[in-house]
Each structure stands twice: as structure tokens, then as C-alpha cells.
Amino acid sequence: MSTPTPTSIPGAGAPATAREIRAIYMGLVIMIGLAALDQSIVATALPRIVSDLGGMAHLSWVVTAYVLASTATMPLYGKLSDQYGRKPLLYAAIVIFLTGSALCGLAQNMVELIVFRAIQGLGAGGFLPLAQIVIGDLIPPAERGKRQGSIAAVYAATSVLGPVLGGLLTDWLSWHWIFYVNVPVGAAALYVISKSMHHNSPHREHKIDYLGSVLMTAAVTAALLVLALGGTEWPWDGSEVKYLSALAAVLTAALLWHVRRVPEPVLPPDLFQNRVFNVASVVLALTFVGMMGSSVFFPLLFQMVMGASPANSGLLTVPMMVGLVISSSLNGRVLARSGGRYKPAQLLGLSLATASFGVLAWGIAGSAGYLVMEPAMFVLGAGLGLVMPNMTMAVQNALPASRRGVGTAMLAFFRSLGGLVGVTGSGAILAHQLHGQAATAQVYRHAIGNIFGAGTLLVGLGLLVLLLLPELPMALHPAARK
């Protein structure tokens, strides 16, 4: 790969040297790794946490608070980074995350831990979108595939590593250290970024859309609470779901009315006039509805249906992540050989993912063994690894520099939203299938097979929508689109 052309980014000074770009990239990789780790590292420590702090009834909130806070704040980070530069928002995200991490380690009861996990999430919500935005600013689109692919690979690898590392830290030290370990690592990322990334004041004065920010965050939070807790802690026909759904609808309507009446709205309406952005958002949302809704039940399938132990069930999911890591890492070379054409790789990747889902659904229904399931999971991961990085590049290439931040963040938001919808919907399907029946292996097999069948249809629908994606020529330099 050729040396990236030194460039500048909004609010970040000019120019960045190749050495500075490498240092910034390493800091971003550390941030992404921490965000992915903290989404999964808590799982294996939860029994010990409950033993020390109590509060079993609120256990799920330790995970939910983090996911809700991080997802809800993604769009806000993107827009604010467009207005005030990337570096101040990176500082804010890291400092908030590290503060939340330290407080989590000091928590004395379950309520404190849940609140501090939400603070962690408020910072982590900026990690993925800001990392993708900064890479989009620093690296020319034709050379961006390898970097974006590596980000996806790191995210996948650390997601798998999280439960393992969480178990080791809990056994060797205590559960407090799954949070304390973030502090020195995150501080190192903050130091690298502070030394390598320049910052200039904005060229013109901006107005903060305070009301729009509040409306957007409140609307997203209300909707996410319904998706995360509906059908589990709250019945779907319960008053909590009804009131929050109505509140989300009212807040969304108020936000849509508001953004058309202010000069610098937190959510620019013209963003949704871009066909590449619209198609990309729908494709990623559908893909993650299917992928997260199905893959979350792999451990249940291996344990309840195929008789694997809890430890082995985790190892059996590794092939999917290996496939994703390999294809994400190779994605840059694929893009370079295709002359910067991002759509063929995406069509290939989503076709492989759809076919793999179909094989998995057939294999589950037909009592297939590991020789069928494991290769299909590897191909599924490999297919997805060709879709996600290229979709981010397509959106960044299609948007002007003034919209690159909010567009990238909104794309990450729709991806996360799709994942939440998938997990919630598949949980509802499983509960419906198991209702009134004995929890036998055959009943679980039938229910999980139906979930994978639905996942096949959703990812296949995403493939059809992908056909509508325009393929714009890759700009040679970030400054080409203003």
C-alpha cells in the first residue's frame, strides 16, 4: 500500500504527516478495542458482581445501560465533530469513557454500577463513528479500504476476546479490574492522539442546536428502551411500552419539525436526500437485524441442542469472527484491485452471507453436525467482512466534507439500531415458539431454525436493496469533495 498523502481534517490542522497518521490510527484502534471489549467483557463477571453487590433483579441493566447510552449518542458525536472538529470530540469521548470506567470499578452497589456503565456508554458512543470519520478524513478513499477493514477486524476480534479476558481478570484479580484496566490503556490512546493530531479553530462561528440535540437523544433513548426491554422486563402490551412508544413518536415528530426551521440542525435534512446514504443505511440495518438476531442464539444452539459445554459453545462461534477478521483485513487489497469499485465486493459479501444463513437454517432444521455448521459460520463472517467497511467508504465518498461526520455516525447508528431490533425480535420469536411447550432439544431446534430462516430473508432483502446502491467514482483525495 502506498504512503497516504498528507492531508488535513475539519478542525484538525494541516497537514498530517505519514508518521502522525500512523500514530493517530493506533490511538483509534485502541479506542475501538476498548469499546468492543466493554460491550462483552462484563458477561463472564456478572455472577461475581451480583455476589458482591446484590441486585439480581437489575442485572440485565449492567449491559443494557452501556448499549443504550452508546447507541443513542452516536449521531450527536458525528454532527458535533463536523461543527467543532474531530479532536475536541475525541478528547471528550475518551475522558467520559475513562471517567465512567474508573467509577464502575469503585461502584458499591448495583444502582451505582448501572449509572456508571451509562456514563461509560456516553463516551464509548463516540469511539466507532469518530474513528471511522477520522480515517475518512486522513486517508484518501482509494487507499481507505485497508484501514476501515482493520477497524472492523479489531472490533470483531476484541468482541470475541472480551468474555475470555473478563473471566481471567475476575479470577486472577477481581471484577473491579475489568473496568480499571481501561484507564491506563485509554490514557495511552489519549496521549497518542493529543501528540499526533493537530487542531485549528473553526473557520466560522457555529451555533449549537441544543433543542435538536435534546430532542434527538430523548427520542432515540425512548425507542431503544422499548426495543431493549420490551418482551423481557416489560410485556409488549404493558403500559411502559405503550407510553414510551408514544413518547418516541411525539419526540421524533417534534425533531423532524425542528430541524427544518434552524440554520444548523443537529440532524441535517439534506443528509437523507443522498441516495448512497439512504441505501447504505437500509442495507446495514437489515443486515444487522438478521445477523444479530440470529448469531446471538449460537451459544444456545450449541448448548441446548447440540450438547456442547458453555466453554466450548463460545469457542464454536469463533469461525464466524475469524472469517470476518480475514475478509476485513483483505478488503483493502480487493478494493485496490477493483480500481476503487466498492459495490462488487459488497454484492459478493452479502450474497455469501445470505447463502450461509440459508445453509445454517437448513442445517439446524435438518440436525446437521459441526461439519456443516462451522464452515457456514466462517463463510458468513467472511461475507459480512466485505460489506461493512466498504459501505462506510461508499457513504464517506458520497458526502461533502461538511456532512462526513454526521453521515458516518448516523450509518453506525442505523447499524446498531438494526442489531437491537434483531436481538429483540428474535427473542420474541423464541419466546412465542417456547410458550406452553416443554423445553426439549427438539423444541429449541425448531425455534432457532425459524429464527435463522427469518434472518435469511432479512439479509436477502438487504441484498436486493444493495442493488439500488449507486457506485460513485472514488475521489483521489479527501479534499475532492467539499
Side-chain angles (χ1 to χ4, degrees):
M1 177 176 166
S2 59
T3 302
T5 306
T7 186
S8 61
I9 66 177
T17 66
R19 183 177 180 179
E20 288 171 333
I21 290 174
R22 287 194 296 269
I24 294 168
Y25 177 74
M26 287 305 301
L28 298 176
V29 166
I30 293 172
M31 289 168 48
I32 291 296
L34 288 177
L37 275 175
D38 272 76
Q39 203 162 329
S40 59
I41 197 173
V42 177
T44 46
L46 286 178
R48 194 72 59 84
I49 291 174
V50 171
S51 175
D52 286 357
L53 302 182
M56 173 65 80
H58 306 295
L59 183 64
S60 64
W61 278 98
V62 176
V63 177
T64 303
Y66 180 89
V67 175
L68 287 177
S70 61
T71 303
T73 52
M74 281 182 181
L76 199 57
Y77 276 106
K79 175 59 180 175
L80 293 178
S81 77
D82 280 339
Q83 287 186 313
Y84 303 106
R86 317 307 191 203
K87 190 172 184 178
L89 270 296
L90 282 170
Y91 277 4
I94 296 173
V95 169
I96 293 170
F97 177 81
L98 295 184
T99 301
S101 297
L103 290 172
C104 284
L106 296 170
Q108 298 299 306
N109 55 63
M110 188 62 77
V111 173
E112 287 185 2
L113 181 60
I114 291 168
V115 172
F116 299 152
R117 281 284 283 173
I119 294 174
Q120 248 195 329
L122 292 176
F127 285 7
L128 180 60
L130 288 174
Q132 292 178 326
I133 292 165
V134 171
I135 289 174
D137 291 330
L138 291 173
I139 309 296
E143 303 176 15
R144 202 176 292 160
K146 183 178 180 180
R147 301 291 188 183
Q148 295 284 20
S150 297
I151 289 291
V154 168
Y155 195 90
T158 48
S159 296
V160 175
L161 181 62
V164 178
L165 184 59
L168 292 175
L169 288 173
T170 301
D171 287 341
W172 292 349
L173 300 171
S174 74
W175 64 263
H176 302 272
W177 281 93
I178 67 176
F179 302 112
Y180 289 149
V181 73
N182 293 331
V183 178
V185 178
L190 183 62
Y191 174 80
V192 169
I193 290 171
S194 68
K195 292 296 184 181
S196 305
M197 182 180 284
H198 307 288
H199 175 70
N200 286 344
S201 300
H203 295 298
R204 63 187 180 88
E205 195 168 334
H206 293 278
K207 293 182 179 180
I208 302 177
D209 183 12
Y210 291 108
L211 179 57
S213 300
V214 171
L215 287 173
M216 182 175 68
T217 304
V220 169
T221 301
L224 291 177
L225 282 170
V226 172
L227 292 173
L229 301 178
T232 53
E233 294 196 17
W234 299 334
W236 284 114
D237 58 352
S239 58
E240 297 94 340
V241 170
K242 292 178 181 177
Y243 292 148
L244 276 175
S245 297
L247 178 62
V250 170
L251 290 170
T252 300
L255 176 64
L256 294 176
W257 178 85
H258 170 78
V259 297
R260 288 174 169 79
R261 286 162 176 78
V262 292
E264 292 189 54
V266 66
L267 189 62
D270 62 296
L271 184 66
F272 295 92
Q273 297 172 7
N274 186 289
R275 186 177 173 186
V276 172
F277 173 79
N278 289 334
V279 172
S281 298
V282 172
V283 170
L284 281 190
L286 286 171
T287 300
F288 272 76
V289 170
M291 188 193 82
M292 294 301 295
S294 303
S295 62
V296 72
F297 290 106
F298 274 130
L300 186 66
L301 169 69
F302 292 137
Q303 292 180 46
M304 300 300 296
V305 178
M306 304 182 75
S309 67
N312 287 337
S313 69
L315 293 174
L316 289 168
T317 63
V318 170
M320 184 173 72
M321 293 305 175
V322 171
L324 195 152
V325 168
I326 292 175
S327 64
S328 297
S329 301
L330 295 176
N331 181 63
R333 298 178 185 178
V334 173
L335 193 67
R337 290 182 179 179
S338 65
R341 298 181 61 216
Y342 49 79
K343 190 172 180 178
Q346 288 178 299
L347 288 171
L348 173 62
L350 213 49
S351 297
L352 290 173
T354 304
S356 299
F357 261 111
V359 171
L360 289 167
W362 167 82
I364 295 169
S367 303
Y370 296 123
L371 290 178
V372 172
M373 305 294 289
E374 297 296 292
M377 291 171 63
F378 175 83
V379 175
L380 172 61
L384 293 172
L386 293 175
V387 177
M388 294 182 289
N390 285 338
M391 198 63 84
T392 301
M393 288 186 292
V395 168
Q396 291 178 337
N397 185 59
L399 295 175
S402 60
R403 293 288 183 262
R404 188 180 297 141
V406 67
T408 303
M410 286 300 299
L411 188 66
F413 167 75
F414 283 122
R415 190 181 80 173
S416 295
L417 184 62
L420 279 173
V421 172
V423 171
T424 304
S426 59
I429 292 174
L430 183 66
H432 177 73
Q433 295 280 329
L434 297 178
H435 183 68
Q437 298 192 60
T440 64
Q442 188 57 37
V443 171
Y444 272 108
R445 181 184 296 278
H446 178 72
I448 296 174
N450 287 340
I451 290 171
F452 273 84
T456 305
L457 294 176
L458 287 166
V459 178
L461 180 59
L463 176 60
L464 293 178
V465 176
L466 180 60
L467 295 173
L468 303 176
L469 181 72
E471 184 161 31
L472 304 179
M474 277 288 187
L476 296 177
H477 191 273
R481 289 184 183 274
K482 294 291 183 185

